Amino acid sequence: MEEVEIPQYFLCPISLMIMKDPVTTVTGITYDRESIEMWLLTVEEEAEEEAEAVTCPVTKQKMPRDTELLTPNHMLRRLIQAWCIANASKGIDRIPTPKYPMDKSHMLRLVRQVNNHQICNEALRKIDALVIENEKNKKCLEEVGAIKAMVSFIVKSFKEKKLINGLEQALRIFHLVWSPTTKNEQLVKENHDLIEAILWILRSEMMNDNQVIIKTHAMMVLKNVIEVSSSNLLSGLQPEFFQKMVNILRKESKHHISQQATKVALQVLIDTCPWGRNKHKIVESGAVFELIELELCNIEKRVSELVFCILAHLCTCADGRAEFLKHAAGIGVITKRTLRVSSTTDDCAIQILGSISKFSATKEVLIEMLRVGAVSKLCMVIQADCEDYLKKKAMEILRTHSYAWSNSPCIQIYFLT
């Protein structure tokens, strides 16, 4: 390729690359839009922390943070495009005319149109396209009330019991635009209708190819909502809620839901577990059995971490431990995964074995722990590269029941040394 000298004023002062979309700031300096917007975003976060004004990268003069005040430099863009075309034979790529971002007033009109049943589907389609386009559009839509409009649309669909066409877009827009701001939290933290609407979507049998997609989006929205919900809402969740989360984990339901939704269901169970009587509700929904079954055929690290975390929570109560011990593979799967997945699963595994050995250590349980290798694995934890508190917990379990495991060669070695 022939070496070409690029005019200096074609280059962005930040990226030092040919500008694709030159814009001029109030300080009179021209930058490539992508570079100056990224710089303003980064510096804005630092300036807020340090209470300093945003400055121009070149002149160091104070300048507003609003990217809408960046003025497109059409003349320079045309010069750059003409130069690129003239030098195409020398390997210079042509720069296409940029698509300018939509202004806030137009986005506000689109959000308001969601409440008009005659044009709501078209408005949702346009908003969906804007959300996917770039991060700036997401932020702008959040500012003009997109979350409130999506909540209203989803709840209205639920109350009218209509799975209308725009529901998929509304759920996706909610999840992609969502940020845990005070305004958004106020909309959802006590919103029982929104929880009911999501459960209704998950229960619905849709005769189309989008069933998995819609239900996955519904689970993502549910996760966003649960993370900021009030203790009052979380404590008051009905058994049906947990039954639906457990149904998602069942192997026979996998063709109705995605792996991503399965992980979200696990995270939702973790987030709701500590509140009120939720542990007992989760146990009563059959979660312990399904969690063990899920782990038996699981090969994904993150799923194992989530499953072990929930089991550790549930084994702190008597009915949870009872259900865990009813499953023939309960102790075995915990033993097998220990020291094989991650430090998170190791931590939870020791918690589970500790709860079992402390509160449910019948003769049969202790024999089972020895038979499936749990005792040997505890001995391995002591000599493995684990946290000291895990080693101490493993040693405590071994010492507590050394009388029952005295015939185990590994126990004899550890206590003789």
Side-chain angles (χ1 to χ4, degrees):
M1 183 186 296
E2 184 179 342
E3 188 173 341
V4 182
E5 184 177 351
I6 303 171
Q8 187 66 31
Y9 57 94
F10 285 4
L11 302 177
C12 172
I14 296 175
S15 67
L16 301 180
M17 303 291 288
I18 296 177
M19 289 183 279
K20 298 177 181 178
D21 183 10
V23 292
T24 304
T25 66
V26 294
T27 61
I29 305 300
T30 298
Y31 303 91
D32 190 43
R33 182 184 292 276
E34 183 180 354
S35 297
I36 189 63
E37 285 185 350
M38 183 62 69
W39 187 88
L40 285 173
L41 181 64
T42 305
V43 174
E44 179 179 349
E45 295 172 353
E46 295 174 356
E48 286 178 352
E49 293 176 1
E50 300 173 7
E52 295 180 0
V54 178
T55 58
C56 174
V58 174
T59 67
K60 305 304 179 184
Q61 291 176 293
K62 293 182 180 180
M63 58 185 290
R65 300 174 182 178
D66 192 350
T67 56
E68 290 186 9
L69 296 178
L70 299 173
T71 305
N73 193 328
H74 297 297
M75 181 61 73
L76 179 57
R77 175 177 56 78
R78 292 190 188 103
L79 287 172
I80 293 173
Q81 287 178 324
W83 180 84
C84 289
I85 292 171
N87 289 276
S89 61
K90 300 175 183 178
I92 301 297
D93 295 329
R94 184 182 182 279
I95 293 176
T97 301
K99 182 179 179 181
Y100 292 110
M102 201 169 287
D103 60 69
K104 189 177 291 187
S105 61
H106 188 83
M107 289 190 181
L108 179 59
R109 284 196 298 273
L110 283 176
V111 168
R112 287 174 175 171
Q113 287 173 5
V114 173
N115 294 321
N116 187 330
H117 71 279
Q118 294 179 333
I119 56 175
C120 63
N121 285 343
E122 181 63 17
L124 285 167
R125 186 187 64 77
K126 290 179 179 178
I127 294 172
D128 192 24
L130 287 170
V131 168
I132 295 171
E133 194 171 289
N134 58 55
E135 291 297 322
K136 183 181 178 182
N137 287 348
K138 291 181 186 179
K139 185 176 180 181
C140 187
L141 283 164
E142 194 272 330
E143 290 173 355
V144 299
I147 294 297
K148 183 177 181 180
M150 297 310 114
V151 170
S152 176
F153 185 87
I154 294 167
V155 171
K156 183 181 178 182
S157 300
F158 160 61
K159 290 185 175 179
E160 295 178 355
K161 296 296 186 288
K162 292 181 181 178
L163 285 166
I164 49 185
N165 294 331
L167 196 56
E168 179 185 339
Q169 284 91 353
L171 291 165
R172 179 165 53 240
I173 292 165
F174 182 106
H175 173 61
L176 294 177
V177 173
W178 171 263
S179 63
T181 62
T182 302
K183 181 174 69 174
N184 288 341
E185 288 181 16
Q186 291 297 326
L187 280 171
V188 305
K189 71 175 186 178
E190 292 279 0
N191 200 327
H192 293 270
D193 285 343
L194 182 56
I195 299 291
E196 288 298 319
I198 295 170
L199 290 179
W200 167 70
I201 294 168
L202 293 172
R203 286 195 303 267
S204 302
E205 291 298 326
M206 291 159 270
M207 303 303 293
N208 57 55
D209 296 334
N210 292 336
Q211 180 171 197
V212 171
I213 297 173
I214 292 176
K215 292 189 176 184
T216 299
H217 288 324
M219 286 301 299
M220 300 302 292
V221 170
L222 180 62
K223 179 177 178 290
N224 294 144
V225 173
I226 290 297
E227 285 175 344
V228 298
S229 292
S230 67
S231 57
N232 182 50
L233 185 147
L234 294 174
S235 300
L237 291 171
Q238 298 300 309
E240 182 196 6
F241 175 89
F242 299 105
Q243 188 64 63
K244 189 61 205 177
M245 296 301 105
V246 171
N247 287 344
I248 290 172
L249 305 181
R250 289 199 169 97
K251 285 187 285 187
E252 59 265 26
S253 71
K254 289 297 184 288
H255 64 286
H256 292 307
I257 210 74
S258 66
Q259 180 73 354
Q260 184 182 24
T262 299
K263 285 189 277 190
V264 172
L266 291 169
Q267 187 62 59
V268 167
L269 288 175
I270 291 172
D271 291 340
T272 54
C273 199
W275 301 96
R277 296 190 68 258
N278 287 351
K279 284 181 188 176
H280 300 281
K281 295 174 188 175
I282 294 171
V283 171
E284 289 167 2
S285 68
V288 175
F289 179 88
E290 297 301 338
L291 289 166
I292 295 171
E293 288 292 310
L294 177 63
E295 186 59 23
L296 284 171
C297 59
N298 170 55
I299 58 173
E300 191 172 340
K301 172 184 172 182
R302 182 56 183 159
V303 172
S304 290
E305 291 176 343
L306 294 170
V307 167
F308 273 53
C309 183
I310 301 171
L311 287 174
H313 278 295
L314 299 182
C315 283
T316 59
C317 59
D319 51 350
R321 292 190 298 274
E323 289 299 311
F324 179 84
L325 292 172
K326 279 183 184 178
H327 198 296
I331 297 175
V333 74
I334 296 298
T335 300
K336 183 177 180 180
R337 292 287 195 266
T338 304
L339 298 180
R340 288 189 176 186
V341 181
S342 70
S343 58
T344 301
T345 54
D346 293 344
D347 193 327
C348 294
I350 299 301
Q351 287 184 50
I352 294 167
L353 294 176
S355 295
I356 296 298
S357 66
K358 184 174 183 180
F359 300 106
S360 305
T362 63
K363 181 179 179 181
E364 292 75 15
V365 168
L366 295 176
I367 292 173
E368 176 71 3
M369 290 180 71
L370 187 61
R371 186 181 69 82
V372 300
V375 177
S376 298
K377 190 60 71 80
L378 287 168
C379 294
M380 291 171 65
V381 168
I382 295 172
Q383 63 179 343
D385 184 20
C386 298
E387 296 290 340
D388 288 341
Y389 74 92
L390 286 181
K391 295 183 178 183
K392 290 178 181 178
K393 185 65 179 177
M395 182 61 80
E396 180 184 329
I397 297 170
L398 292 170
R399 282 177 176 162
T400 301
H401 301 291
S402 58
Y403 67 92
W405 299 325
S406 57
N407 291 329
S408 171
C410 56
I411 286 290
Q412 291 174 356
I413 292 170
Y414 270 91
F415 283 97
L416 284 174
T417 58

